[in-house]
Amino acid sequence: MTYEILINGTKRSVAWDSASMAASIDGRKIHADVAATSSGAYSVLLDGRVFEVTVEKDGDGWLLRTEGREFHVRIADPRSLRRGRDGSVEMEGRQQIIAPMPGKIVRLLAAPGQKVELGQGLLVIEAMKMQNEIRSPKSGTVERVAREGQTVTAGEILAVVV
Amino acid sequence: MTYEILINGTKRSVAWDSASMAASIDGRKIHADVAATSSGAYSVLLDGRVFEVTVEKDGDGWLLRTEGREFHVRIADPRSLRRGRDGSVEMEGRQQIIAPMPGKIVRLLAAPGQKVELGQGLLVIEAMKMQNEIRSPKSGTVERVAREGQTVTAGEILAVVV
Amino acid sequence: MFKKILIANRGEIAVRIARACREMGIVPVAVFSDADRASLHVRMAGQAYPIGAAPSRESYLRIDKLMDVARRAGCDALHPGYGFLAENPDLARACAENGIAFIGPSPDAMERLGSKTAARQLAARAGVPMVPGVADPIEKLQDAERIAQGLGYPVLLKAVAGGGGKGMRLVAAAQQMPAAWRDAVSEALNAFGDGRVYLERYLDRPRHIEIQILGDRHGHIVYLGERECSVQRRHQKVIEESPSPVMKPELRRAMGEAAVQLAREAGYTNAGTVEFLVDDARNFYFLEVNTRLQVEHPVTEMVTGLDLVKLQIRVAAGKALPFAQGDVVLSGHAIECRLYAEDPANNFFPSPGTILSRRVPGGPGIRLDEGVYEGFTVSTEYDPLLGKLIAWGSTRDEAITRLERAVAEYSITGIKTNAALFLEILRDPQFIRGEIYTRWLDERLPLLLANGKKTGASDVSAEDAAILTALFHQLGLNRAAHANGAHRESESRWKREARLEQVDRG
Amino acid sequence: MFKKILIANRGEIAVRIARACREMGIVPVAVFSDADRASLHVRMAGQAYPIGAAPSRESYLRIDKLMDVARRAGCDALHPGYGFLAENPDLARACAENGIAFIGPSPDAMERLGSKTAARQLAARAGVPMVPGVADPIEKLQDAERIAQGLGYPVLLKAVAGGGGKGMRLVAAAQQMPAAWRDAVSEALNAFGDGRVYLERYLDRPRHIEIQILGDRHGHIVYLGERECSVQRRHQKVIEESPSPVMKPELRRAMGEAAVQLAREAGYTNAGTVEFLVDDARNFYFLEVNTRLQVEHPVTEMVTGLDLVKLQIRVAAGKALPFAQGDVVLSGHAIECRLYAEDPANNFFPSPGTILSRRVPGGPGIRLDEGVYEGFTVSTEYDPLLGKLIAWGSTRDEAITRLERAVAEYSITGIKTNAALFLEILRDPQFIRGEIYTRWLDERLPLLLANGKKTGASDVSAEDAAILTALFHQLGLNRAAHANGAHRESESRWKREARLEQVDRG
């Protein structure tokens, strides 16, 4: 069976015959031996080369780590692929800035409607006793921004730049 | 609720009010705070004293380890207790010697009907490349003994001394 | 010797102290906040008592509750660790009032050296060289602007009560002063409840080199070599090593003797650290004194063979130091990296969460001082330091390659850590040549982070491994879900999976 | 220097060698049997290849398959570890024929010292003192009985090809000889495929003290202090330490020089160990030579600061030793205990199985060399050694208390281990005084095992903790079962459980 796999945004076509440990990625043939070790950890031999790989849930896909590198992987369901439902449109232009952890907004550095440059400060958040400045990921206009003094939980929107 | 607990063969009557962390064992009052840490591992505070305790399945009960000591615990179901079904009669006199792991009987040192002393060799078993002499746990008469050359699995009876 | 020591701390340092107690036959007594019942420092203690809600102001910073537990548990001594109340003379005084030995300097010595301005005044009297600046707290922004103009930019704003880079701001030019002033004061107020700041001239590419000192109550004070702590991110130490790659015996002696002289002036006892900046010409300038055990004390332990925590306990019990300055021998090289629950790819944001799985390094020359375990939840309440990984080698090169090997063995899932960044640092040619200074990492960081993402021949294979593992993992889960909720143990082999699949098909 | 090293072994020693390779920038290449695909030594390697079925005769003992993998993977050297083929000259010869450097002595030196009888002949020529006995293999029982009568009982029957106590039997009196002869011959045949045995007089309470030697190909041979390995169970080393508690500088020099002299006579290179028995009067008697790295090499590494595996690799690559005898400095004290999957309460039967959970020690002075991990299945195919826990201290007392502290931190579920026995040994007054000899543990064992079961005041609390944990665990499971198969994460607190229970009731 062939699977479509999105890895760090790139699509790869993967086939494997597990009985013979023969895999193919975009046509390249690889002898692949994957063994589970601990929960969420695997030992992988690719043509004899050893990899230690860990897997964690990451949205609707997986976060994989090996050799100090991170990979975000999503596996398309072959059936839904056939139904042509695989494409999730990447957001372009409008950027949401999400709180990666609980914290408190201690100072605003930009107001809604204000033009900001890439890297310009939007607000200062205090989390785990550290103050961190949140900067704009793009040049554009601030659409929305959290309140000063507001306590935010992980995943909450701190600001939107369009 | 009060539970009857068998620990290393001794029966204890245990009560606990979990909300107040108040426990009582055979009438002794103890402030008991139990917290799960990893799977099968607990941190226990008894009147402030710290214990690290691990729990594993052990037949129809549990094997607990703490401070280098082992405890075999079985908790009687309070309902079955009320139905008077709790007593499992301890075997006395007749001793079965069980193979603790797979191995091969390489030599017999005693035959059925033979009188043996406490500590006298019954047979030699080879397991994991090591030969080990199995000795009698009591003075008595050999009732049964495995065959020489026999391959045994864990839990199999090697000999019976009465 | 003491019978029971109250450890007024949490995390890896509380674990470290508990280990020293165990080895001395002393009962370690832990305290824990509501967030820390299942923390490692509680599990490693002999006794443990709750002291309040998760916020440290309601638990670890409450002197009254600590004294309460000490009395209740019958403790005869208290070790403050680092952070929290470690440099607060009030705790030392409360101990004295309650007849409990405080494992650290006297409250008076702590006051004489703990405040940066007081320490600078003392250092001036002791003839220890200093960076040009103003030792007194500055009242208002306008004064800061005037003084900075006089010293010449760049200048450094620093919290009087500070430590760990909190309340510290580099000000490159006059127009940055208002924002920097505001940030430094507010951060200092937040972190220490004391918003006072002072100013000093900023050296160009200085190294941070500190001297470990140790004094007993019989007038003996020794220095135990130095630690180079120049690899810092935003003034926070990230990697520490001993000896410093630029150290010479005569410089070590000069710095060591200056540190001991300062300690002697202050009537200092127990362990302490005198921090210096060292410039290109190997001039050294007094920075500040930390009147407590440092996070990075293990590198000193590994090159001297001494156990600093045990020695702290012994001298606090009134014992004389069991060796003289001439007996201190530095052997080999040790390097430490600080493992944090933070995400280097996302501006080093803290990454709290539950540790799902964990693989820790071992083997020759490796030491791991941790405060976490598999299944532990890193909370948002406290400093996200997971632990410290330290390597010893007969040479600096061996220590670096060992640490690199050990970092590569370290793996953790469930939270993000800065471990992969250390691989980049330890392989960096400038780091390997020892060409580091306090801003080195801040300047080098973009390159190091980019290196970590670079695609090379080996990365194609890494990507392949990720793809096939994701597929294997997903298919395994699908199959498990198929099996109607039954819990399946992880399969040991692709081959076995394949066999099962063929059975399913057949 | 080599580019790739084939590690012809498994378990903790293969992991140890892989770590040395990593630190030297050499690719470690593993081999694995069908039972070992998920073993730690495979996970730690750079490349790994299957070599056959689980029984070692079909995999780890197959020279042809090893040479196959070495050629296929492009290895330029091979490290044999210990056990398996490590002392088999045929492997060293096969390496030479295939142009692969063998990391060990030459096959000729191995033959001259590897056979006990050949080594005794060489030792006699080199003037090294020996235990009275007969160096040649004995043909039949009747000869053994005659020779034993001449030497005087007790005597020791030993396998010519032996090691690790296999094929060794103590014979206290003439009537025990027939059974001992039968057992020794059959065990030797089974273990080594060579049933030949020889005899020597049994010393009363000798210590086992061995000298680590290391030679390069440029004629330099040094000794790296001694290891005391007197704590043995049935001739198997259980605890090793360096230095020996009875060592004196002049005795060390005499033994070290004897060992080096013997190695020189044999044209020995690379690492090796010369074993001696030492009697009460500090006379030493040559026992045998192990022509390979020893299990217990870490204690030597910790007191010398040297990395023996890296040095083995360097001298095998033709480099000269980077130090002379006079540069070797012994610092502090190191003790190792061997952690086995076995059940001391059940006659030390091996205890294979899957490791369900695991807590490993850390902190100052602790080294852990392991071949297992959480989730790993200890198989019945191989030696049940899980790993080695080693502690360093500035004195023997500190090393003992550290090791005791670390053993108490070590916890494993799913299999049984001998860890708790080490707590008893390390607390034993005779052990602490260093009053040990090769039969000490066998004689002391009943007492130590009884101590481990003794009920004291503290054991009442331990029993209480076990009772309440069992109850908590069982009730948690009941509740989870009640929740209709949903998988519940472990609850963090009794209190939380209590709240849930009240909700259930309400």
Side-chain angles (χ1 to χ4, degrees):
Chain A
M1 192 177 283
T2 299
Y3 300 85
E4 294 299 319
I5 289 185
L6 263 179
I7 180 158
N8 287 354
T10 305
K11 197 180 279 184
R12 304 268 183 221
S13 180
V14 184
W16 62 294
D17 173 20
S18 50
S20 64
M21 298 191 196
S24 131
I25 297 177
D26 288 351
R28 275 181 302 116
K29 305 252 172 268
I30 301 159
H31 184 269
D33 180 356
V34 182
T37 53
S38 309
S39 160
Y42 295 86
S43 167
V44 180
L45 303 186
L46 299 187
D47 296 324
R49 214 182 128 197
V50 177
F51 295 87
E52 281 279 299
V53 189
T54 62
V55 190
E56 292 169 76
K57 197 105 195 74
D58 176 36
D60 61 343
W62 303 103
L63 167 65
L64 288 101
R65 277 191 273 222
T66 188
E67 311 216 320
R69 300 276 315 277
E70 292 192 353
F71 299 95
H72 298 268
V73 178
R74 203 159 59 76
I75 300 160
D77 177 347
R79 277 162 306 175
S80 63
L81 271 180
R82 277 195 292 275
R83 286 197 301 259
R85 275 183 22 211
D86 90 296
S88 73
V89 181
E90 289 288 316
M91 265 184 299
E92 294 286 344
R94 189 167 186 275
Q95 295 290 332
Q96 297 190 338
I97 294 99
I98 302 291
M101 57 161 308
K104 189 182 172 186
I105 314 294
V106 292
R107 198 160 60 255
L108 294 185
L109 303 172
Q114 185 178 333
K115 298 254 182 251
V116 291
E117 294 298 309
L118 171 63
Q120 186 176 334
L122 297 174
L123 50 85
V124 179
I125 186 169
E126 181 168 313
M128 277 168 111
K129 318 285 161 213
M130 294 281 295
Q131 295 196 5
N132 287 278
E133 190 174 286
I134 302 295
R135 294 181 181 143
S136 180
K138 62 170 294 197
S139 299
T141 306
V142 177
E143 186 183 279
R144 234 178 91 183
V145 69
R147 275 182 303 104
E148 191 165 308
Q150 184 180 344
T151 302
V152 295
T153 59
E156 213 167 319
I157 296 172
L158 296 174
V160 178
V161 180
V162 293
Chain B
M1 192 179 281
T2 300
Y3 300 87
E4 294 298 319
I5 290 185
L6 263 178
I7 180 157
N8 287 354
T10 305
K11 197 181 281 184
R12 303 270 184 220
S13 179
V14 183
W16 62 295
D17 173 20
S18 49
S20 64
M21 298 192 195
S24 130
I25 298 177
D26 288 351
R28 276 182 301 117
K29 305 253 172 267
I30 302 159
H31 184 268
D33 180 358
V34 182
T37 53
S38 309
S39 160
Y42 294 86
S43 167
V44 179
L45 303 186
L46 299 187
D47 296 325
R49 212 179 132 199
V50 177
F51 295 87
E52 283 278 300
V53 188
T54 62
V55 189
E56 292 170 74
K57 197 107 194 72
D58 176 37
D60 61 345
W62 303 103
L63 167 64
L64 289 101
R65 278 190 272 222
T66 188
E67 311 216 319
R69 299 278 313 278
E70 292 193 352
F71 299 94
H72 298 269
V73 178
R74 203 159 59 76
I75 300 161
D77 178 347
R79 278 163 307 177
S80 63
L81 272 180
R82 276 195 293 275
R83 286 197 300 260
R85 277 184 23 212
D86 88 296
S88 72
V89 182
E90 289 289 317
M91 264 185 299
E92 295 286 343
R94 190 166 186 275
Q95 295 291 332
Q96 296 190 339
I97 295 97
I98 303 291
M101 57 160 309
K104 190 182 171 186
I105 313 296
V106 293
R107 198 160 61 255
L108 293 185
L109 303 173
Q114 185 178 332
K115 297 254 181 252
V116 290
E117 294 299 309
L118 171 63
Q120 187 177 335
L122 297 173
L123 50 84
V124 178
I125 185 168
E126 181 167 313
M128 279 167 110
K129 316 286 162 212
M130 295 282 292
Q131 296 196 4
N132 288 279
E133 190 175 285
I134 302 293
R135 294 182 181 142
S136 179
K138 61 171 293 195
S139 299
T141 307
V142 177
E143 185 183 279
R144 236 177 90 184
V145 69
R147 276 182 303 102
E148 191 164 307
Q150 182 180 346
T151 300
V152 294
T153 60
E156 214 167 317
I157 295 172
L158 297 174
V160 178
V161 180
V162 293
Chain C
M1 188 42 64
F2 305 125
K3 297 275 177 288
K4 278 189 194 177
I5 292 178
L6 184 72
I7 302 169
N9 216 303
R10 65 175 301 284
E12 69 87 18
I13 192 62
V15 171
R16 167 71 187 90
I17 298 162
R19 284 177 166 144
C21 291
R22 294 276 190 202
E23 292 175 17
M24 296 177 80
I26 296 168
V27 178
V29 178
V31 289
F32 59 90
S33 77
D34 287 352
D36 271 335
R37 166 63 187 89
S39 287
L40 192 58
H41 77 279
V42 175
R43 300 175 59 192
M44 303 279 285
Q47 295 174 223
Y49 299 90
I51 48 160
S56 22
R57 293 200 173 277
E58 297 177 41
S59 47
Y60 299 107
L61 294 174
R62 287 282 297 268
I63 295 175
D64 55 337
K65 290 187 179 174
L66 292 170
M67 290 301 107
D68 227 46
V69 170
R71 273 190 302 264
R72 224 170 105 198
C75 298
D76 41 12
L78 179 149
H79 197 303
Y82 55 69
F84 293 128
L85 296 166
E87 296 182 79
N88 187 326
D90 293 341
L91 175 61
R93 284 207 182 87
C95 285
E97 284 158 17
N98 284 279
I100 295 160
F102 178 80
I103 299 168
S106 71
D108 291 350
M110 209 186 275
E111 267 168 355
R112 280 192 286 269
L113 290 176
S115 143
K116 291 190 191 181
T117 50
R120 281 175 72 102
Q121 286 156 4
L122 200 68
R125 281 209 304 280
V128 179
M130 271 179 293
V131 179
V134 170
D136 299 312
I138 297 168
E139 295 283 315
K140 49 187 196 291
L141 173 60
Q142 286 71 18
D143 294 345
E145 287 177 325
R146 184 177 42 77
I147 294 162
Q149 214 58 53
L151 289 169
Y153 284 96
V155 297
L156 212 52
L157 272 171
K158 299 170 88 172
V160 170
K166 275 165 196 158
M168 189 188 289
R169 284 294 181 281
L170 168 62
V171 195
Q175 62 269 35
Q176 294 178 0
M177 183 57 94
W181 173 266
R182 196 180 51 216
D183 286 3
V185 169
S186 109
E187 204 171 282
L189 197 62
N190 243 297
F192 315 110
D194 175 354
R196 292 176 303 155
V197 298
Y198 68 99
L199 258 181
E200 61 185 33
R201 192 162 76 207
Y202 187 66
L203 297 177
D204 181 34
R205 296 185 156 198
R207 291 167 176 272
H208 174 119
I209 299 179
E210 60 189 30
I211 300 288
Q212 175 70 50
I213 55 168
L214 184 64
D216 64 19
R217 297 207 192 130
H218 308 275
H220 309 119
I221 310 182
V222 295
Y223 60 92
L224 304 174
E226 75 285 359
R227 291 182 290 259
E228 161 111 36
C229 314
S230 298
V231 180
Q232 306 184 351
R233 198 182 73 82
R234 295 178 170 193
H235 308 292
Q236 296 252 25
K237 296 166 187 168
V238 169
I239 290 184
E240 301 98 350
E241 59 186 298
S242 182
S244 159
V246 296
M247 191 49 66
K248 303 278 179 217
E250 29 331 336
L251 178 62
R252 179 178 295 130
R253 194 165 49 244
M255 291 177 71
E257 285 172 358
V260 166
Q261 185 53 35
L262 182 61
R264 215 178 279 289
E265 287 277 339
Y268 197 84
T269 55
N270 218 287
T273 295
V274 183
E275 297 187 337
F276 295 96
L277 291 178
V278 176
D279 69 17
D280 273 355
R282 292 204 177 84
N283 299 305
F284 62 93
Y285 307 96
F286 170 70
L287 208 53
E288 64 179 73
V289 179
N290 292 131
T291 60
R292 50 154 169 93
L293 192 67
Q294 299 275 84
V295 176
E296 60 269 25
H297 73 276
V299 295
T300 298
E301 293 186 325
M302 290 184 93
V303 296
T304 59
L306 301 171
D307 186 315
L308 289 179
V309 179
K310 287 186 195 166
L311 286 166
Q312 282 193 295
I313 293 170
R314 291 216 169 88
V315 301
K319 311 257 183 218
L321 283 179
F323 55 84
Q325 187 64 56
D327 302 323
V328 177
V329 179
L330 304 182
S331 166
H333 199 100
I335 308 188
E336 166 181 289
C337 63
R338 297 190 187 189
L339 296 163
Y340 280 99
E342 62 184 19
D343 184 4
N346 189 16
N347 204 25
F348 293 89
F349 249 92
S351 173
T354 299
I355 296 173
L356 299 178
S357 72
R358 195 165 143 274
R359 196 180 85 159
V360 298
I366 298 301
R367 169 174 169 183
L368 184 58
D369 274 35
E370 275 189 314
V372 301
Y373 56 87
E374 193 167 307
F376 178 73
T377 299
V378 179
S379 95
T380 56
E381 285 294 340
Y382 312 107
D383 187 71
L385 180 67
L386 297 170
K388 300 158 340 195
L389 184 55
I390 312 112
W392 181 92
S394 56
T395 62
R396 185 170 186 265
D397 278 349
E398 184 172 56
I400 289 174
T401 52
R402 278 225 172 114
L403 189 55
E404 186 191 334
R405 186 269 291 169
V407 171
E409 287 179 22
Y410 181 85
S411 154
I412 199 159
T413 65
I415 58 171
K416 304 204 181 232
T417 76
N418 59 347
L421 176 62
F422 290 114
L423 292 180
E424 301 302 328
I425 296 174
L426 295 167
R427 289 167 187 163
D428 184 277
Q430 291 182 353
F431 177 81
I432 290 169
R433 290 195 302 266
E435 296 167 6
I436 46 179
Y437 46 94
T438 55
R439 275 176 303 120
W440 177 80
L441 181 58
D442 288 325
E443 293 173 7
R444 196 77 170 169
L445 199 55
L447 178 74
L448 295 171
L449 292 175
N451 281 349
K453 286 181 179 162
K454 220 159 46 188
T455 309
S458 101
D459 291 293
V460 174
S461 299
E463 191 187 291
D464 292 349
I467 288 170
L468 294 166
T469 305
L471 193 57
F472 185 76
H473 185 72
Q474 172 90 61
L475 294 175
L477 287 187
N478 289 354
R479 195 168 298 122
H482 218 72
N484 212 12
H487 181 66
R488 287 258 200 114
E489 274 310 307
S490 56
E491 300 289 338
S492 76
R493 204 111 136 70
W494 186 297
K495 230 173 188 165
R496 199 185 299 163
E497 286 281 336
R499 257 181 250 124
L500 287 171
E501 204 170 51
Q502 287 170 328
V503 169
D504 287 350
R505 283 175 192 154
Chain D
M1 189 40 65
F2 306 125
K3 298 274 178 288
K4 277 188 195 179
I5 292 178
L6 185 73
I7 302 169
N9 216 302
R10 65 176 301 284
E12 70 87 20
I13 193 62
V15 171
R16 167 71 187 90
I17 297 162
R19 284 178 166 142
C21 290
R22 295 275 189 201
E23 292 175 19
M24 297 177 81
I26 297 168
V27 177
V29 178
V31 289
F32 60 91
S33 76
D34 287 351
D36 271 335
R37 166 62 187 91
S39 287
L40 192 59
H41 77 280
V42 175
R43 299 175 60 192
M44 303 280 285
Q47 295 174 222
Y49 299 91
I51 48 161
S56 23
R57 295 204 171 274
E58 298 177 40
S59 46
Y60 298 107
L61 294 174
R62 287 284 296 270
I63 294 175
D64 55 337
K65 290 187 179 175
L66 292 171
M67 290 301 108
D68 228 44
V69 169
R71 274 190 302 263
R72 226 169 104 197
C75 297
D76 41 13
L78 179 148
H79 197 303
Y82 56 70
F84 293 128
L85 297 165
E87 296 182 80
N88 187 326
D90 293 341
L91 175 62
R93 285 207 180 87
C95 284
E97 284 159 15
N98 284 278
I100 295 159
F102 179 80
I103 300 169
S106 70
D108 291 350
M110 210 185 278
E111 268 169 354
R112 278 191 288 269
L113 289 176
S115 143
K116 291 189 191 182
T117 49
R120 281 175 71 102
Q121 286 155 3
L122 201 68
R125 282 209 304 280
V128 178
M130 271 178 294
V131 179
V134 171
D136 298 312
I138 297 168
E139 295 285 314
K140 50 187 195 291
L141 173 61
Q142 286 70 17
D143 295 343
E145 287 176 326
R146 185 178 40 77
I147 295 163
Q149 214 58 53
L151 289 169
Y153 284 96
V155 297
L156 212 52
L157 273 172
K158 299 170 88 172
V160 170
K166 277 166 193 157
M168 188 188 292
R169 283 293 181 282
L170 168 62
V171 195
Q175 62 269 36
Q176 293 178 359
M177 183 57 95
W181 173 267
R182 194 180 52 214
D183 286 1
V185 169
S186 110
E187 204 171 279
L189 198 61
N190 242 298
F192 316 109
D194 175 355
R196 292 177 302 155
V197 296
Y198 67 99
L199 258 182
E200 60 186 31
R201 193 163 73 206
Y202 187 66
L203 297 178
D204 180 34
R205 295 188 157 196
R207 292 167 175 271
H208 174 118
I209 299 179
E210 60 188 31
I211 300 289
Q212 175 70 52
I213 55 167
L214 184 64
D216 64 20
R217 298 209 191 129
H218 308 275
H220 309 120
I221 309 181
V222 295
Y223 60 92
L224 304 174
E226 76 284 358
R227 291 183 291 260
E228 161 110 38
C229 314
S230 298
V231 179
Q232 305 184 351
R233 198 182 74 81
R234 296 177 169 194
H235 309 292
Q236 296 252 24
K237 296 166 188 169
V238 169
I239 289 184
E240 301 99 348
E241 59 186 299
S242 182
S244 159
V246 296
M247 191 50 65
K248 304 277 179 219
E250 38 315 347
L251 178 61
R252 179 179 295 130
R253 197 167 47 246
M255 290 177 72
E257 284 171 0
V260 166
Q261 184 52 37
L262 182 61
R264 215 179 280 288
E265 288 276 340
Y268 197 84
T269 55
N270 218 289
T273 294
V274 184
E275 297 187 336
F276 295 97
L277 291 179
V278 176
D279 69 16
D280 272 355
R282 292 204 177 84
N283 298 307
F284 62 93
Y285 305 97
F286 171 71
L287 208 54
E288 63 180 72
V289 179
N290 292 132
T291 61
R292 48 152 169 96
L293 192 67
Q294 299 275 85
V295 177
E296 60 270 25
H297 73 276
V299 296
T300 298
E301 294 186 324
M302 289 184 95
V303 296
T304 60
L306 301 170
D307 186 315
L308 289 179
V309 179
K310 287 187 194 166
L311 286 166
Q312 282 193 296
I313 294 170
R314 290 217 169 87
V315 301
K319 310 258 183 218
L321 282 179
F323 55 85
Q325 187 63 56
D327 303 323
V328 177
V329 179
L330 304 182
S331 166
H333 199 100
I335 308 188
E336 167 181 288
C337 63
R338 298 191 187 189
L339 296 164
Y340 280 99
E342 62 183 19
D343 185 3
N346 189 15
N347 204 24
F348 293 88
F349 250 94
S351 173
T354 299
I355 296 173
L356 300 178
S357 73
R358 194 166 143 274
R359 196 180 86 159
V360 298
I366 298 303
R367 168 174 169 183
L368 184 59
D369 274 36
E370 275 189 313
V372 301
Y373 56 87
E374 191 167 309
F376 178 74
T377 299
V378 180
S379 94
T380 55
E381 286 294 341
Y382 312 109
D383 187 71
L385 180 67
L386 298 170
K388 300 158 339 196
L389 185 54
I390 312 112
W392 181 92
S394 55
T395 62
R396 184 170 186 266
D397 278 348
E398 183 172 56
I400 290 174
T401 53
R402 280 226 171 112
L403 188 55
E404 186 191 334
R405 185 269 292 170
V407 171
E409 288 179 22
Y410 181 86
S411 155
I412 200 160
T413 65
I415 58 172
K416 303 203 183 232
T417 76
N418 59 347
L421 176 63
F422 291 114
L423 292 181
E424 300 303 329
I425 296 175
L426 295 167
R427 289 167 186 162
D428 183 278
Q430 291 183 353
F431 177 81
I432 290 170
R433 289 195 301 265
E435 295 168 6
I436 46 180
Y437 46 93
T438 56
R439 276 177 302 119
W440 177 80
L441 181 59
D442 288 325
E443 293 173 6
R444 195 77 171 167
L445 198 55
L447 178 73
L448 294 171
L449 292 175
N451 281 348
K453 286 181 180 160
K454 219 161 44 189
T455 308
S458 101
D459 291 293
V460 174
S461 299
E463 191 188 290
D464 291 349
I467 288 170
L468 293 167
T469 305
L471 193 57
F472 185 77
H473 185 72
Q474 172 90 61
L475 294 175
L477 287 186
N478 288 355
R479 195 167 299 122
H482 218 73
N484 212 10
H487 181 64
R488 287 255 200 115
E489 275 310 307
S490 55
E491 300 290 337
S492 73
R493 204 114 136 68
W494 186 296
K495 232 174 187 163
R496 197 185 298 163
E497 286 281 336
R499 259 181 248 123
L500 285 171
E501 204 169 52
Q502 287 171 328
V503 169
D504 286 349
R505 284 175 191 156

